[in-house]
Amino acid sequence: MKLTTDLVAVGGLSVALIAGVFMGAPSELLTGIAGGLSGYLSKTAVNHFENPHEIARENKGEK
């Protein structure tokens, strides 16, 4: 598995959300983290499905 910006962002937001829940963080903070996580995931999904052929070529190493 390759370490990408997407993986770091989603992993960091997920860890922050889970840690916030267990540590009793204010709901406003958790709402902001959850909103950032869902927004980032939806942006990534839209970008992935707009150009699936280009992404497939990049994964195979073709240009």
Side-chain angles (χ1 to χ4, degrees):
M1 178 189 284
K2 192 174 178 182
L3 187 64
T4 62
T5 307
D6 294 336
L7 184 62
V8 171
V10 170
L13 287 170
S14 299
V15 168
L17 184 61
I18 292 168
V21 168
F22 284 115
M23 294 177 68
S27 62
E28 293 85 6
L29 179 63
L30 297 177
T31 301
I33 294 171
L37 180 59
S38 65
Y40 194 84
L41 287 174
S42 63
K43 177 193 74 88
T44 303
V46 166
N47 289 341
H48 176 75
F49 289 112
E50 281 182 350
N51 301 316
H53 300 294
E54 291 179 20
I55 293 170
R57 271 189 241 124
E58 288 176 8
N59 289 340
K60 291 182 180 179
E62 301 174 9
K63 299 272 177 173

